[in-house]
Amino acid sequence: MDAFSHRVESEADPDPAPGCDAATIVVVGLGYVGLPLAVALARRFDCWGVDISAARVAELRAGRDRTGEIDAERLAASSIRLTSDPAECPPADIYIVTVPTPVDEANRPDLSLVVAASRTVGGMLRAGREAIVVYESTVYPGVTEGICAQELERASGLVCGRDFFLGYSPERINPGDREHTVDRIVKVVAGQTPAVTDRIATLYEAVTTGGTFRAASIKAAEAAKVIENAQRDINIAFMNEIARIFGRLDLSIWDVLAAARTKWNFLPFEPGLVGGHCIGVDPYYLAHCAQSVGVAPQVILAGRNANDAAGIRLADSMHTRRGAKAGSALVLGLTFKQDVPDLRNSRVVDVIERLKWLGHDVTVHDPLADAAEAVHEYGIALDGDAFDRRYDLVALTVPHAEYLALGRDAISGLVADGGLLADVKNALGLRADPPAVDYWTL
């Protein structure tokens, strides 16, 4: 018998659930995390996808995913049922919450979306169903069993641990990554009881070839998620700091890394702009948790400070290279990483704002970013005709494949006489054979 039909011994555990393929699943939140998960689950289960944005649901029903994670063919072939009205969903066996957990302007955890989603799910829970509510949203240890459980109880009138049960399985979606997709990665799972953990594991094992890892507790699973991204943040911060040091010594960080990587256990991190929905956010959740238990998080916040300042330092370096002369500037790339349309927490914005502050007339181009979203989120107008003229400074900040396909001559051709081509990530690989224009990288 599989875990979904396993006989539960404890009175606190839920009754046997339907067989694996018979379970009804509701995924709440259909963004970068929720949509790929829901599409994968729909291959095995009766799966509903709920998003509060009617526009998002309409877009998906029309076969378009603006995140680029699910192509039109897969979306059309999926049996997932989409709605913006939770009341349309039938009572489910498993509810999975995949909403964003950002930070506010003071970099404090903003749990408003996960609280709202908990209230939504609470309103969907039914007495006698003994459903499981699994959270994938990134939180600090204790949120699922504390804040979320309280909201679920308040909205449902039911008792957690008796009428419904909790689980946690941290999302590991990497936007634009076609190798480490939700149906291939190891899923960390944890439930309120061992039997609940088994049921959650069976759910994910039905859709991923990577298998599952049963964490010791929900808190352990929550903590694993925040340290995964905090670790990457700290390592990148170190790279950004040594890039500054070596720049003062007239050393290229890329030359130093090429030598250092010959050691078998050297970690292959690189300097750069750290944005997005995870690495630039999750360390603040860990720092908040540390402060709540009386620990001053020195390393975590030092890494964040270094990375948050990277955009300003890049702009200053470009400006200095030009002899501190302001002029026309073209910034190529606005999304938080290459080859994805995701604009969330893009630190390219810091480069743009600093260049403007230094007196440059800045034009921004990005072939993948949504123009309306760029205006809405950052007040930045994308220029689709940016290649029709030349600039005193051309900064390749996000090396989308479309830019690289243009080649060195086309990109350097955008630079006016006496201008500068700044290749932030050394993506053009022109250091050994620089173009005719002034060329700069870290």
Side-chain angles (χ1 to χ4, degrees):
M1 300 174 67
D2 62 32
F4 269 76
S5 56
H6 176 66
R7 169 60 66 182
V8 180
E9 300 294 335
S10 168
E11 290 183 359
D13 286 339
D15 290 332
C20 184
D21 292 331
T24 298
I25 315 295
V26 172
V27 176
V28 179
L30 297 174
Y32 281 87
V33 175
L35 181 64
L37 176 63
V39 169
L41 289 168
R43 294 200 300 262
R44 291 292 304 275
F45 306 102
D46 177 20
C47 184
W48 289 71
V50 180
D51 198 286
I52 60 171
S53 170
R56 173 64 170 163
V57 171
E59 165 193 297
L60 295 175
R61 284 177 173 170
R64 176 178 175 264
D65 171 28
R66 55 186 159 79
T67 71
E69 293 300 307
I70 304 295
D71 59 40
E73 185 178 353
R74 285 184 63 198
L75 201 53
S78 177
S79 63
I80 184 175
R81 309 185 202 188
L82 304 166
T83 182
S84 59
D85 182 3
E88 292 184 358
C89 298
D93 302 293
I94 308 281
Y95 296 87
I96 304 177
V97 177
T98 65
V99 297
T101 43
V103 292
D104 63 16
E105 293 182 356
N107 290 322
R108 296 171 299 197
D110 178 1
L111 297 173
S112 60
L113 296 176
V114 80
V115 166
S118 296
R119 291 171 180 166
T120 296
V121 172
M124 301 168 74
L125 294 173
R126 296 292 178 266
R129 189 78 184 189
E130 297 179 340
I132 298 174
V133 184
V134 180
Y135 288 84
E136 289 211 359
S137 304
T138 300
V139 293
Y140 53 84
V143 169
T144 299
E145 295 168 289
I147 295 172
C148 296
Q150 293 172 6
E151 294 296 338
L152 289 167
E153 288 187 327
R154 187 176 295 115
S156 66
L158 304 176
V159 177
C160 182
R162 185 193 71 189
D163 302 315
F164 66 89
F165 296 83
L166 297 173
Y168 189 80
S169 181
E171 61 90 3
R172 283 176 166 170
I173 292 292
N174 183 23
D177 189 334
R178 296 299 177 255
E179 179 181 355
H180 302 99
T181 53
V182 70
D183 55 347
R184 296 176 182 173
I185 59 172
V186 176
K187 285 290 289 179
V188 172
V189 297
Q192 203 167 359
T193 71
V196 171
T197 300
D198 285 344
R199 291 177 62 187
I200 297 170
T202 298
L203 172 75
Y204 286 108
E205 286 167 358
V207 296
T208 179
T209 59
T212 59
F213 176 85
R214 289 165 169 78
S217 65
I218 288 177
K219 284 185 179 180
E222 292 170 322
K225 172 57 179 176
V226 289
I227 71 165
E228 287 172 11
N229 287 321
Q231 181 188 66
R232 288 186 56 80
D233 192 48
I234 292 167
N235 278 288
I236 297 170
F238 174 67
M239 291 295 161
N240 279 328
E241 186 163 288
I242 62 174
R244 290 181 64 206
I245 296 170
F246 297 151
R248 299 285 178 91
L249 300 173
D250 197 27
L251 274 172
S252 169
I253 181 65
W254 309 113
D255 289 343
V256 176
L257 291 178
R261 284 173 181 152
T262 63
K263 189 169 188 286
W264 59 90
N265 60 353
F266 184 79
L267 301 178
F269 289 92
E270 295 182 350
L273 300 170
V274 183
H277 66 300
C278 287
I279 301 178
V281 173
D282 295 358
Y284 288 120
Y285 276 71
L286 185 56
H288 173 85
C289 179
Q291 292 163 343
S292 71
V293 293
V295 176
Q298 300 178 35
V299 174
I300 299 166
L301 291 181
R304 272 287 75 229
N305 291 336
N307 286 338
D308 277 349
I312 292 174
R313 291 172 181 148
L314 281 173
D316 286 349
S317 295
M318 298 173 198
H319 184 69
T320 300
R321 179 65 178 243
R322 282 195 29 76
K325 294 184 297 183
S328 59
L330 171 62
V331 173
L332 296 175
L334 181 60
T335 62
F336 92 88
K337 65 180 290 190
Q338 62 267 32
D339 300 326
V340 300
D342 195 346
L343 286 171
R344 289 176 296 174
N345 193 31
S346 171
R347 303 326 305 171
V348 179
V349 175
D350 300 334
V351 178
I352 295 168
E353 293 304 315
R354 185 66 169 184
L355 287 174
K356 289 180 178 178
W357 185 83
L358 290 168
H360 295 268
D361 179 16
V362 182
T363 298
V364 184
H365 179 275
D366 194 302
L368 300 184
D370 182 89
E373 185 180 357
V375 171
H376 180 267
E377 294 297 323
Y378 304 114
I380 293 175
L382 299 178
D383 189 340
D385 299 320
F387 292 175
D388 293 344
R389 50 196 180 277
R390 301 169 75 198
Y391 305 84
D392 298 313
L393 166 63
V394 174
L396 179 58
T397 51
V398 187
H400 293 310
E402 186 168 325
Y403 291 144
L404 301 184
L406 292 174
R408 57 176 284 162
D409 292 340
I411 292 181
S412 60
L414 296 170
V415 182
D417 294 341
L420 172 68
L421 172 58
D423 182 5
V424 172
K425 295 289 290 181
N426 192 33
L428 297 173
L430 299 180
R431 291 194 63 257
D433 182 23
V437 299
D438 188 17
Y439 177 75
W440 174 87
T441 186
L442 289 172

